[in-house]
C-alpha cells in the first residue's frame, strides 16, 4: 500500500513541475508577441516596420546639405568637394559639386537642387515628372551632378564660363591662352568665343536671397548669386568638339553646330 501512495505522490509532483514550466514558457511567448506589435524607432527617429507585418510607413529623406561656408576649414565638406572635383577633373572653375538630391548653403541661404531644377523647367514651360512606387512614396529622380560657382566681387559671366572651359581643356592637355576667347582679326568670333556664348544658354543663374532664377545673367551680385552648371551636359557637349577644328563651330544665338569629320 505504501509503495503505491509514494508513487502517486511522485507522479503528482512531476505533473506540478511540468505545469509550472509550461506556464512560464507561455508567459514569455506572450511577452515576445506583445513586443513584436510595437513600432520601434531607431536613433534617427525613423520608425521600423519589420516588427509589424503589413505595416507601411512612408519616409521622407532630408537631402544632404553642402555648406559653402565650410570650405574655408578642414573637414568633411572640404574633403568631399576636393574628391568630387578630382573625379571630374576640375579645380577652381566651380566651388561646389552637388548631386541632384542634395542641397547647398551659401551664407545663410540654403537651397535644394530639386527646387532649382523645378524652377528651371517651369521657366521653359516644362514639368519635372515624379514617379511613385507601389506604396505611394516618391521615387528618387535620376541622379545628376551640378557644379556651382559662387559669384565674387569683380566677376562677370563671360570670365566665369571661360574659367570652366580652361579647367576642362587643361585636363585634356590643352592650354587656352588668355586671348583665346577674343574675336579674330577679321572681327569674327573665335571657336572658343562661340562655345562661351552657347554656355550662356546652358547655365542657371540663381539668386540666393530671392530664391529664384534670374533671367538677366549680365547683372551679377557678389555672394548673393550662383552660376550652376549641369556637369553631365557640359562635358557631353565638349566631348563632341574636336579642338583642332574648334574655329569651324557655328552659333546662331541659340544653337551650336559641331562639324562632323
Amino acid at each position: 500500500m505504501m509503495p503505491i501512495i509514494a508513487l502517486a505522490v511522485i507522479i503528482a509532483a512531476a505533473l506540478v513541475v511540468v505545469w509550472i514550466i509550461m506556464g512560464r514558457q507561455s508567459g514569455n511567448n506572450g511577452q515576445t508577441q506583445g513586443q513584436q506589435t510595437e513600432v520601434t524607432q531607431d536613433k534617427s527617429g525613423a520608425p521600423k516596420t519589420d516588427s509589424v507585418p503589413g505595416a507601411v510607413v512612408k519616409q521622407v529623406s532630408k537631402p544632404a546639405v553642402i555648406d559653402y561656408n565650410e570650405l574655408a576649414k578642414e573637414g568633411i565638406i572640404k574633403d568631399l568637394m576636393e574628391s568630387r572635383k578630382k573625379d571630374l577633373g576640375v579645380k577652381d572653375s566651380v566651388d561646389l559639386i552637388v548631386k541632384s538630391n542634395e542641397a547647398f548653403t551659401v551664407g545663410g541661404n540654403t537651397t535644394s537642387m530639386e527646387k532649382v531644377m523645378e524652377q528651371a523647367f517651369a521657366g521653359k514651360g516644362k514639368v519635372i515628372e515624379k514617379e511613385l512606387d507601389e506604396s505611394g512614396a516618391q521615387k528618387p529622380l535620376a541622379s545628376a551632378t551640378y557644379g556651382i560657382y559662387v559669384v565674387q566681387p569683380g566677376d562677370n559671366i563671360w570670365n566665369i564660363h571661360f574659367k570652366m572651359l580652361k579647367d576642362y581643356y587643361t585636363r585634356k592637355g590643352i592650354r587656352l591662352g588668355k586671348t583665346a576667347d577674343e574675336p579674330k582679326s577679321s572681327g569674327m568670333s573665335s571657336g572658343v568665343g562661340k562655345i562661351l556664348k552657347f554656355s550662356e544658354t546652358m547655365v542657371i543663374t540663381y539668386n540666393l536671397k530671392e530664391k529664384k532664377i534670374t533671367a538677366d545673367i549680365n547683372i551679377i551680385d557678389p555672394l548673393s548669386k550662383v552660376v550652376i552648371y549641369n556637369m553631365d551636359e557640359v562635358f557631353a557637349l565638349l566631348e563632341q568638339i574636336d579642338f583642332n577644328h574648334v574655329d569651324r563651330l557655328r552659333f546662331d544665338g541659340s544653337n551650336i553646330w559641331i562639324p562632323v569629320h
Side-chain angles (χ1 to χ4, degrees), residues 142-211:
S143 179
T145 301
Y146 297 93
I148 298 176
Y149 178 81
V150 180
V151 177
Q152 303 294 329
D155 277 339
N156 63 65
I157 195 70
W158 186 270
N159 289 339
I160 292 171
H161 293 333
F162 194 26
K163 189 182 295 186
M164 165 64 75
L165 205 59
K166 284 181 176 179
D167 247 6
Y168 172 81
Y169 281 114
T170 295
R171 77 171 189 168
K172 294 287 187 179
I174 300 172
R175 181 180 175 276
L176 296 183
K178 294 182 179 179
T179 60
D181 60 325
E182 295 182 1
K184 299 179 181 180
S185 57
S186 62
M188 300 291 291
S189 295
S190 65
V192 171
K194 292 171 185 175
I195 295 174
L196 293 177
K197 288 180 180 179
F198 183 68
S199 297
E200 295 179 355
T201 69
M202 296 181 66
V203 302
I204 297 170
T205 305
Y206 190 80
N207 189 313
L208 297 167
K209 293 181 178 179
E210 297 178 3
K211 294 189 179 299

Side-chain angles (χ1 to χ4, degrees), residues 42-55:
D42 58 20
K43 293 180 179 180
S44 66
K48 297 179 179 179
T49 60
D50 54 351
S51 298
V52 185

Side-chain angles (χ1 to χ4, degrees), residues 4-75:
I4 295 176
I5 296 175
L7 180 61
V9 171
I10 292 173
I11 293 173
L15 291 173
V16 170
V17 171
V18 170
W19 178 78
I20 292 173
I21 292 174
M22 291 182 65
R24 288 180 177 177
Q25 290 179 342
S26 176
N28 290 337
N29 289 338
Q31 183 178 4
T32 301
Q33 291 174 356
Q35 291 173 344
Q36 290 178 343
T37 60
E38 296 177 357
V39 177
T40 59
Q41 289 188 327
D42 58 20
K43 293 180 179 180
S44 66
K48 297 179 179 179
T49 60
D50 54 351
S51 298
V52 185
V56 176
V57 177
K58 297 178 183 178
Q59 299 182 17
V60 179
S61 58
K62 183 179 180 181
V65 177
I66 308 299
D67 193 343
Y68 170 77
N69 311 299
E70 294 292 317
L71 295 179
K73 56 187 178 182
E74 299 297 328

